[in-house]
Amino acid sequence: MKKNFFFVSVFSIYFYIFYSQMYRTEDGFFSDLPAHMDMAMQFFEGKGYLAHPGFYFLAKLLEIITPLDFKQASVCMLSIFATAIAYIIFKVIEKETEYAFEYTGMLMLVTAIFIPFFNHLYLGQASSNIYHNPTLIIVKPFAYLSLILFIRLLDQMNKKMFWWATIVLTLSVIMKPNFILAFLFTIPIYLLLKKANLKQWLLSAGMIVPTLFILAYQYVRTYNTETASSVVIDPFGVWNLWTPSPLFSFLLGTAFPLAIVIFRYRQVWNSKFLLCSWIGLVISYSQFILLAEGGYRFSHGNFAWGLQIFIALVFLFSVIEWIHWKKETFVGWKMSLVNIIFSLHLVSGSYYLIRIMLGYSIY
């Protein structure tokens, strides 16, 4: 209990300071937060439409029950959910090692490997940690829990686990739909690969039913003649705006988990959580490659958010496999190479964070 209290206290204080700084330095650090606040305030005044209003309602609720104004409540809510991400990672890892706090800190920092003459800090690459988009931060805890509960549902197949998985997955769509857009396709592929039985198929199908209704509503409200926007097929159209080489950018974003797959492919296949995460990452990359929004939203790259969620899941469960590997063998050249690759992700993420804290651009 003391360890959990210490963990939550440290991370919540850190994230509150961080997001407060991020909002104050909006002139130097490009953040989606001010724009999201403006949209939310217009919505609560009876103007406009919010496709996924979860974050805004939570911030509004916090404003009502505390002395905070709406902007302060939004910053506080981001801090709470960022702490929740860290806490979920910590609880997953603490079962594997006594150094769970240290691994959690590293996983909250890692990003795509940064090469100054080639790539931006995050644009064009999949990165576990992206700080400027509030709805991405809000949906992540639900994404982590949804995948974990889905795997546990298949193992236990009881009503309690079914309802927990259904509720959490439904909440994820209300927060941001990008996770479920990839997860809907991940589920049947995983079930096929694992040769699931009929009951597992039925439970999985029932779990996603509420999300389908919400997604249909979000689609109809977002893409219509009034909004002048649509979903179009344009292979690599958006990705090519952000990087001179999509393949190299893919390698920079996934170098560490790819190394785990190459050197531990049998263990990856047998790791339910890691295999499911990798399927989701492949699906989300495929959606990002093929799909785009027509009109003024084309360059926004909103189909990239799914892969930014799944790369975080892949990193988490790849680190767990890395921990298992360390327990099994001496440090040979393969392990040394993986250690170096992970260090490059960690150094890049640290540089990214430092730039933000100093008020520089995310680019």
Side-chain angles (χ1 to χ4, degrees):
M1 182 64 70
K2 289 182 178 179
K3 183 168 61 175
N4 291 343
F5 177 77
F6 171 76
F7 179 92
V8 171
S9 298
V10 169
F11 273 92
S12 59
I13 292 170
Y14 162 73
F15 283 121
Y16 183 76
I17 294 172
F18 172 74
Y19 285 112
S20 297
Q21 172 71 7
M22 186 176 80
Y23 184 78
R24 284 198 302 269
T25 60
E26 60 184 280
D27 292 334
F29 168 71
F30 176 77
S31 168
D32 290 349
L33 185 56
H36 278 250
M37 297 306 95
D38 291 340
M39 288 189 296
M41 286 187 283
Q42 290 179 19
F43 173 77
F44 289 122
E45 291 172 0
K47 306 171 186 176
Y49 156 72
L50 296 175
H52 39 89
F55 168 58
Y56 316 101
F57 279 116
L58 289 173
K60 190 67 176 177
L61 176 63
L62 192 60
E63 178 194 14
I64 293 170
I65 64 176
T66 67
L68 301 174
D69 63 29
F70 186 66
K71 293 179 180 179
Q72 292 169 336
S74 300
V75 170
C76 189
M77 192 57 64
L78 283 177
S79 307
I80 291 169
F81 273 81
T83 303
I85 295 169
Y87 188 70
I88 291 169
I89 292 172
F90 175 76
K91 296 303 289 184
V92 171
I93 293 180
E94 74 167 350
K95 300 175 184 177
E96 312 294 339
T97 176
E98 60 183 312
Y99 301 108
F101 189 89
E102 291 81 358
Y103 278 107
T104 300
M106 290 188 288
L107 280 167
M108 294 299 291
L109 280 174
V110 290
T111 62
I113 297 172
F114 177 52
I115 301 177
F117 62 83
F118 173 78
N119 61 321
H120 296 294
L121 281 165
Y122 88 93
L123 280 174
Q125 288 71 233
S127 289
S128 295
N129 296 291
I130 293 176
Y131 305 104
H132 71 282
N133 186 271
T135 50
L136 177 66
I137 295 160
I138 295 295
V139 75
K140 268 189 171 183
F142 297 99
Y144 281 100
L145 292 175
S146 292
L147 188 141
I148 292 169
L149 290 171
F150 166 65
I151 298 298
R152 290 182 178 175
L153 173 64
L154 297 182
D155 290 338
Q156 299 179 21
M157 291 191 288
N158 59 54
K159 290 182 179 180
K160 181 179 179 180
M161 193 60 63
F162 169 79
W163 285 114
W164 273 116
T166 303
I167 291 168
V168 172
L169 191 62
T170 303
L171 288 173
S172 79
V173 187
I174 297 171
M175 301 302 165
K176 196 178 185 77
N178 297 79
F179 170 74
I180 191 63
L181 286 175
F183 199 49
L184 283 175
F185 297 94
T186 301
I187 290 171
I189 293 173
Y190 180 83
L191 293 174
L192 285 170
L193 290 175
K194 289 300 181 180
K195 299 178 181 179
N197 58 44
L198 179 60
K199 185 175 181 180
Q200 289 172 322
W201 277 95
L202 291 174
L203 287 171
S204 301
M207 179 184 71
I208 66 174
V209 168
T211 68
L212 296 176
F213 287 102
I214 297 172
L215 277 175
Y217 173 77
Q218 290 173 334
Y219 180 86
V220 171
R221 287 299 307 269
T222 303
Y223 303 110
N224 54 59
T225 55
E226 294 180 5
T227 61
S229 186
S230 60
V231 176
V232 298
I233 297 176
D234 190 351
F236 292 96
V238 177
W239 205 356
N240 282 327
L241 294 176
W242 298 347
T243 176
S245 173
L247 176 59
F248 194 47
S249 286
F250 170 76
L251 295 175
L252 291 176
T254 59
F256 169 72
L258 276 176
I260 294 294
V261 169
I262 292 170
F263 296 133
R264 303 277 290 178
Y265 61 90
R266 289 190 181 91
Q267 290 80 0
V268 170
W269 175 261
N270 291 322
S271 172
K272 299 174 183 178
F273 298 104
L274 184 50
L275 177 62
C276 191
S277 300
W278 260 110
I279 295 170
L281 185 62
V282 172
I283 294 295
S284 55
Y285 257 113
S286 301
Q287 291 174 340
F288 174 52
I289 289 170
L290 293 173
L291 302 176
E293 290 181 292
Y296 73 95
R297 291 178 179 168
F298 182 84
S299 62
H300 293 186
N302 285 321
F303 282 101
W305 297 121
L307 65 93
Q308 310 296 4
I309 296 169
F310 272 100
I311 191 63
L313 287 162
V314 166
F315 258 85
L316 169 58
F317 296 113
S318 294
V319 162
I320 290 175
E321 185 55 47
W322 187 33
I323 292 170
H324 292 170
W325 188 12
K326 289 180 179 181
K327 294 177 181 177
E328 295 173 5
T329 185
F330 64 92
V331 179
W333 71 268
K334 293 180 181 178
M335 177 67 75
S336 297
L337 178 59
V338 171
N339 293 345
I340 291 170
I341 293 172
F342 186 84
S343 297
L344 292 174
H345 284 288
L346 184 59
V347 169
S348 299
S350 300
Y351 174 67
Y352 180 23
L353 180 65
I354 290 168
R355 282 187 61 89
I356 291 173
M357 294 301 289
L358 293 176
Y360 292 108
S361 168
I362 56 176
Y363 304 112

